Amino acid sequence: MEEMLKEARDFYEDEYSDSVLYAFLSRGEKDPKLKEEFLRLSQIESSHAKFWYDFLIKRKIVPKKVKISRFKLFYGKVLRKLLGPGTMVSLLEMGENSAIQKYFKFLTKYKLNDKEKKIVSSIILDELEHERFFYESKKRFHVEHVRDFVLGMNDGLVELLGAVTGLSAVYLYNPMIVGISGLIVGVAGALSMGIGAFISVRSQRQVNESVRQRLEVLFKVSPERAKEELMTKLLESGMPKNIATEVAEKLSSNENAIINLLVQGGEENEIRSAVYTGLAYLTGVAFPVLPYFLASSSLMALPFSILLAGTALAIVATAISILSGISIRKKIGEMVTTGLGAAFLSYLFGRLMESMFHISTL
């Protein structure tokens, strides 16, 4: 019971806070469609907050007044100004994904009366609708690669921090070699990541186009066979046979609908994907490498390299966490620990190589 009430309090605070955030974003938004949607989302979240408030009052719990983080509002405004609406929408979508899972767990875990079950179910539907809006907005603002950028930057940070840390143990008094070596590795890695993304997206698009052409021919030659393939796909997805049969029957005359259901993947642009991925990796490379071009020794550059990389990792983690409902401390701990842990192991390996081959004395 106590655990249920704690979760309900958290839901109330989150919904109230989100309502204020959406209203705040709406007031400063210039895009009319996004402005209207933020205002609508604010009103919906406000109604959700009222439900949780009443839920707690009914159980003789008076919720504390929610303190709105001015930093969160300011941070949201800064992200919107600096990175555009797409990044903001992408981060907000992460929060909706998290909320859906929490609400579903709450609905299935605790005993609620029929009315409460119905309302919680409707809240889940609202959150799913929010997620759909954010997904459509991401396509509209061409930010399908925002998460790829974050992950690519993280890869560049972690990999180059590990590389320069290991090289620092070898070239203790020649930071320029470490910096140049790190830069070469970073550029090579960025090119490799960009080319890999280009080939991957292009190959997927070519496969999709080949499947689409095959299905177009199949639909013209044997519509019944096309309907059978749709039935198979629907059954593989877990849809009950009677519903799958009905859906396949209703769509049997709609060629485009069947093809769209059977062809996997979106219409990503391979050039944009390659550029995003490569630039993201290079951005991550810059933080750990820069100190080696400025310091007089690798030992002096190393702590600054770790500090810059750790700060960058913390900023990325914070950006994800603040607007997505994930614990900031947990996310920062996760990203920074893994990154610095890789650097520490690389340093030990570098020391091992130096002791075996005495490279620094060559």
Side-chain angles (χ1 to χ4, degrees), residues 110 124 140 161 245 254 300 355 360 362:
Y110 303 114
I124 293 174
R140 179 182 166 213
L161 178 61
T245 302
N254 192 328
M300 184 179 292
S355 65
S360 62
L362 294 179

Side-chain angles (χ1 to χ4, degrees), residues 280-300:
Y281 193 92
L282 278 178
T283 302
V285 165
F287 292 97
V289 168
L290 181 61
Y292 290 90
F293 290 99
L294 304 174
S296 58
S297 73
S298 296
L299 287 177
M300 184 179 292

Side-chain angles (χ1 to χ4, degrees), residues 76-345:
K77 184 177 181 180
V78 169
L79 281 179
R80 171 62 183 88
K81 293 290 184 184
L82 293 180
L83 304 179
T87 300
M88 172 64 65
V89 164
S90 186
L91 289 171
L92 290 171
E93 184 205 11
M94 295 180 194
E96 297 303 326
N97 288 334
S98 174
I100 290 166
Q101 295 300 322
K102 289 177 182 177
Y103 281 133
F104 181 73
K105 183 180 177 182
F106 187 91
L107 179 65
T108 55
K109 184 177 180 180
Y110 303 114
K111 289 185 179 180
L112 309 173
N113 61 44
D114 291 341
K115 183 179 180 181
E116 289 169 345
K117 285 182 180 178
K118 185 176 180 180
I119 295 176
V120 174
S121 296
S122 70
I123 289 175
I124 293 174
L125 292 176
D126 285 340
E127 300 296 341
L128 287 167
E129 194 275 332
H130 294 179
E131 183 184 352
R132 181 184 62 80
F133 159 72
F134 289 134
Y135 175 75
E136 291 174 353
S137 295
K138 285 203 303 178
K139 291 198 297 183
R140 179 182 166 213
F141 292 114
H142 304 290
V143 292
E144 61 271 21
H145 302 297
V146 167
R147 288 184 181 178
D148 291 340
F149 190 93
V150 172
L151 293 174
M153 181 178 171
N154 183 65
D155 285 345
L157 275 165
V158 173
E159 290 176 23
L160 263 295
L161 178 61
V164 297
T165 302
L167 289 169
S168 295
V170 177
Y171 300 105
L172 294 172
Y173 304 106
N174 201 332
M176 190 62 70
I177 289 181
V178 177
I180 292 172
S181 300
L183 197 56
I184 292 171
V185 171
V187 171
L191 290 172
S192 175
M193 293 278 286
I195 292 169
F198 178 88
I199 293 173
S200 175
V201 173
R202 187 176 180 84
S203 298
Q204 184 60 55
R205 187 165 60 80
Q206 289 171 335
V207 169
N208 288 346
E209 188 58 34
S210 176
V211 173
R212 181 179 291 275
Q213 290 173 356
R214 172 185 168 277
L215 288 171
E216 287 173 352
V217 172
L218 181 61
F219 202 95
K220 288 178 173 60
V221 174
S222 177
E224 283 300 316
R225 179 67 182 276
K227 188 171 75 171
E228 287 175 12
E229 291 204 16
L230 176 60
M231 267 286 293
T232 302
K233 185 70 176 177
L234 293 174
L235 291 172
E236 286 176 354
S237 70
M239 186 178 290
K241 186 175 181 179
N242 60 327
I243 298 177
T245 302
E246 183 181 351
V247 170
E249 192 62 42
K250 287 183 177 180
L251 293 179
S252 60
S253 60
N254 192 328
E255 178 181 348
N256 288 331
I258 290 180
I259 290 175
N260 288 334
L261 282 170
L262 291 175
V263 176
Q264 299 296 313
E267 297 298 323
E268 287 188 66
N269 183 294
E270 57 266 34
I271 296 177
R272 188 186 298 128
S273 180
V275 170
Y276 263 83
T277 304
L279 287 178
Y281 193 92
L282 278 178
T283 302
V285 165
F287 292 97
V289 168
L290 181 61
Y292 290 90
F293 290 99
L294 304 174
S296 58
S297 73
S298 296
L299 287 177
M300 184 179 292
L302 181 58
F304 288 101
S305 176
I306 292 172
L307 180 63
L308 279 176
T311 302
L313 286 169
I315 290 172
V316 171
T318 303
I320 294 171
S321 303
I322 283 182
L323 295 176
S324 64
I326 303 171
S327 167
I328 296 177
R329 185 179 300 176
K330 182 178 179 182
K331 196 64 182 177
I332 290 177
E334 174 187 310
M335 293 183 69
V336 173
T337 300
T338 54
L340 298 187
F344 177 71
L345 292 175

